[in-house]
Amino acid sequence: MLATRFALFLVILAVVCSVSYAADPDPLQDFCVGFNDSFSMVSVNGKFCKNPELVKPEDFFYSGLDKVGDTSNPLGSKLTQVFDDQLGGLNHQGVGMVKIELEPKGLNPPHEHPRASEIIFVSEGTMYVGFIESNPSDPNVPNKLYAKTLSPGDVYVFPRGTLHFQYNVGKTNAVAYASFNSQNPGVVTVASSLFGSKPPVHPEVLAKAFQIDVKMVEYLQSLTWKRNN
Ligand code: MN
């Protein structure tokens, strides 16, 4: 009996200890500049490392974030990503950044990053930003929104995995720079993924989930869903 209990305890311990805190893994070397030569290199974090003897300062360099992005799209926003795909030297460093540009009433629509927390710094304009906490344990308690209107010089944090957005409530363009603790944070945009997926989600699923009728779902699924990433 005691042995059985002890065995059960060990099983529970094993389960608890195997809970994964999966952020980007720590680097094992100074750098592994992402490289597209599958013949001669070893893979780290999914990318091949450029031969260190061939690595140049340019491999750690990205230019062009000073340029004004084109926000003439239905969302009125432009995101410029600087992740490992854009900057090889970021590979396996566990950091990344994005420039967020919003025209007046421009929106970075509700989305979440499965692999990173985000911190933004506003350099221009006025934006209303927020995130929604994950479900409270009591199903009768609504999810809390943490939102604020930001001005130049302000900083805001979006905890990993939480739904969040940025919306320009000013009369001029707004700009923010976002940093992530991942070289590849991933993005799930709520509206475009739910209503714009291919193949489409069964309309009855979305009708029930959103408390709307099936016709409305079919209408939403017929729209063109543009993402800005
Ligand atoms: Mn984000």
Side-chain angles (χ1 to χ4, degrees), residues 79 100 108 111-113 118 120 158 164-166 178 180 187:
L79 299 192
I100 303 166
N108 188 14
H111 65 277
E112 63 99 10
H113 306 285
E118 175 176 351
I120 66 165
F158 305 97
H164 60 277
F165 56 84
Q166 293 103 17
F180 301 85
V187 190

Side-chain angles (χ1 to χ4, degrees), residues 68-79:
V68 176
D70 180 9
T71 57
S72 56
N73 55 65
L75 290 167
S77 61
K78 166 77 177 171
L79 299 192

Side-chain angles (χ1 to χ4, degrees), residues 96-205:
M97 66 182 293
V98 168
K99 182 184 185 185
I100 303 166
E101 295 173 271
L102 309 170
E103 63 184 32
K105 295 192 185 295
L107 174 69
N108 188 14
H111 65 277
E112 63 99 10
H113 306 285
R115 292 182 291 278
S117 304
E118 175 176 351
I119 180 168
I120 66 165
F121 161 74
V122 178
S123 63
E124 289 174 40
T126 313
M127 51 178 83
Y128 167 70
V129 310
F131 70 87
I132 301 161
E133 69 172 1
S134 58
N135 298 357
S137 53
D138 181 347
N140 298 312
V141 175
N143 304 60
K144 184 169 177 179
L145 167 71
Y146 296 84
K148 204 158 172 55
T149 300
L150 307 181
S151 303
D154 291 349
V155 166
Y156 208 73
V157 174
F158 305 97
R160 176 170 159 177
T162 59
L163 289 176
H164 60 277
F165 56 84
Q166 293 103 17
Y167 182 57
N168 185 350
V169 290
K171 292 191 162 51
T172 58
N173 288 350
V175 178
Y177 295 88
S179 300
F180 301 85
N181 61 336
S182 170
Q183 66 188 31
N184 182 17
V187 190
V188 180
T189 307
V190 178
S192 62
S193 59
L194 281 175
F195 293 105
S197 71
K198 290 278 179 288
V201 178
H202 194 301
E204 287 176 18
V205 172

Side-chain angles (χ1 to χ4, degrees), residues 44-66:
V44 176
N45 290 2
K47 280 229 187 314
F48 297 97
C49 296
K50 192 172 183 177
N51 182 337
E53 292 182 4
L54 302 176
V55 170
K56 303 186 293 282
E58 286 70 31
D59 289 312
F60 304 98
F61 174 77
Y62 178 95
S63 186
L65 283 190
D66 59 319

